[in-house]
Amino acid sequence: QVQLVESGGGSVQPGGSLRLSCAASSYAYTMGWYRQAPGKQRELVATITNDGITNYAQSVKDRFTVSRDNSKNTVYLQMNNLKPEDTAVYYCNAQKWMTDYWGQGTQVTVSS
């Protein structure tokens, strides 16, 4: 079992920045972030492996950066130049022994 606790969501104007954090209760090889906008399916935002290999959705490349602190079992998502279409509930994800674990979700709203 892996428990995930997220923090850092909120409201911001277009062009602004936010940083999300997610602390896991134990080690997971791959950690990352997904998001779900109203009326849409959950989609990948970014993931990072224990070795530092990253994977990004095309829509966030060059604006978002995923990172992790293995000593704290924590993953971060730095979001810059936010756009209204980034508005969604962001979910932390951890993959361990072929099982997906999810955080409770944190709301990110980008609006003027």
Side-chain angles (χ1 to χ4, degrees):
Q1 283 277 357
V2 179
Q3 275 115 29
L4 303 170
V5 178
E6 301 150 344
S7 59
S11 295
V12 65
Q13 292 186 340
S17 298
L18 284 173
R19 188 188 194 214
L20 305 182
S21 300
C22 173
S25 59
S26 64
Y27 166 82
Y29 180 70
T30 301
M31 297 184 71
W33 298 91
Y34 290 69
R35 67 186 181 188
Q36 188 166 17
K40 294 188 176 181
Q41 289 191 331
R42 192 173 296 189
E43 63 177 7
L44 168 76
V45 177
T47 60
I48 183 168
T49 69
N50 183 60
D51 309 295
I53 299 170
T54 58
N55 182 37
Y56 291 93
Q58 191 64 36
S59 60
V60 307
K61 271 185 178 179
D62 301 324
R63 299 189 298 123
F64 292 10
T65 302
V66 63
S67 61
R68 65 188 285 171
D69 184 337
N70 291 331
S71 68
K72 297 179 181 179
N73 293 326
T74 298
V75 64
Y76 306 96
L77 184 68
Q78 178 66 44
M79 304 185 290
N80 297 329
N81 190 21
L82 282 158
K83 303 177 180 181
E85 51 264 42
D86 295 317
T87 295
V89 177
Y90 283 69
Y91 294 92
C92 180
N93 171 269
Q95 297 172 18
K96 184 173 185 178
W97 298 117
M98 300 181 66
T99 300
D100 279 305
Y101 297 92
W102 297 95
Q104 78 280 4
T106 185
Q107 178 71 45
V108 171
T109 302
V110 185
S111 173
S112 55

